[in-house]
C-alpha cells in the first residue's frame, strides 16, 4: 500500500477514535447533570382507558430514553382520582399501582392540583405519599414549560 494512503488511513482511524471517545464523553456529561429530556403529562380525566394510554406513552418514553428522560404527571380535575389514596371514582387498582411504580422505580414526579383538592374537600391524607401538591395544577404545567419541559396533553 502507498505510504501516503497508509498514513491517511491511520489518521482517519485515530480521528474516528477521538470522535467516538468525545461522543461518549458528551453522553456521560449530558447525564451527569440529569436527564436531557424532560416531559410533563397532563391527566385531567378519570377515564381508565384514557389514563392507560398516557401510562403506556410514559412507558414507551422510558423504554426509548432509559435514564435520559425525566417524567412528571400533573393531575387535576377528575384526573386527580389517579393519585387518590381511596377510590372515589371507578379507577382500576392496576392504574394506581402503575403510577406509584413510576414514582418509586423511575423517579417520576407526581403533582396533584391543590385547587382541585380544595374544590372536592380533599386534604393531604387523600393523596398518595408519592405525590406533591401544587396550589394550581395548570400553573405547575405552565411553569414547567417555562423551564423547558415538553408538555404532553391527551
Amino acid at each position: 500500500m502507498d505510504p501516503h494512503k497508509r498514513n491517511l488511513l491511520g489518521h482517519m482511524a485515530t480521528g474516528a477514535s477521538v470522535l467516538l471517545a468525545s461522543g461518549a464523553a458528551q453522553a456521560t456529561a449530558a447525564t451527569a447533570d440529569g436527564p436531557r429530556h424532560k416531559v410533563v403529562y397532563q391527566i385531567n380525566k378519570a377515564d381508565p382507558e384514557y389514563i392507560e394510554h398516557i401510562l403506556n406513552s410514559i412507558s414507551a418514553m422510558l423504554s426509548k430514553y432509559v435514564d435520559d428522560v425525566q417524567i412528571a404527571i400533573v393531575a387535576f380535575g377528575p384526573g386527580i382520582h389517579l393519585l387518590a389514596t381511596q377510590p372515589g371514582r371507578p379507577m382500576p387498582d392496576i392504574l394506581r399501582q402503575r403510577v406509584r411504580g413510576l414514582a418509586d422505580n423511575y423517579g417520576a414526579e407526581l403533582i396533584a392540583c391543590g385547587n382541585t383538592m380544595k374544590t372536592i374537600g380533599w386534604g393531604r391524607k387523600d393523596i398518595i405519599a408519592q405525590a406533591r401538591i401544587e396550589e394550581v395544577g395548570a400553573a405547575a404545567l405552565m411553569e414547567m414549560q417555562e423551564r423547558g419541559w415538553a408538555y404532553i396533553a391527551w
Side-chain angles (χ1 to χ4, degrees), residues 16-63:
S17 297
V18 169
L19 285 174
L20 287 172
S22 70
Q26 287 177 346
T28 303
T31 59
D33 293 332
R36 285 182 299 170
H37 306 287
K38 296 178 181 184
V39 60
V40 58
Y41 286 82
Q42 165 188 305
I43 294 183
N44 64 344
K45 298 176 189 170
D47 174 38
E49 187 175 333
Y50 157 84
I51 292 171
E52 187 170 2
H53 287 298
I54 293 171
L55 296 179
N56 289 343
S57 174
I58 292 169
S59 293
M61 287 287 211
L62 290 167
S63 291

Side-chain angles (χ1 to χ4, degrees), residues 94-113:
I94 189 69
L95 297 180
R96 286 196 173 99
Q97 290 169 3
R98 283 181 69 185
V99 80
R100 284 192 303 268
L102 288 171
D104 293 341
N105 300 320
Y106 299 98
E109 294 180 55
L110 307 178
I111 301 164
C113 175

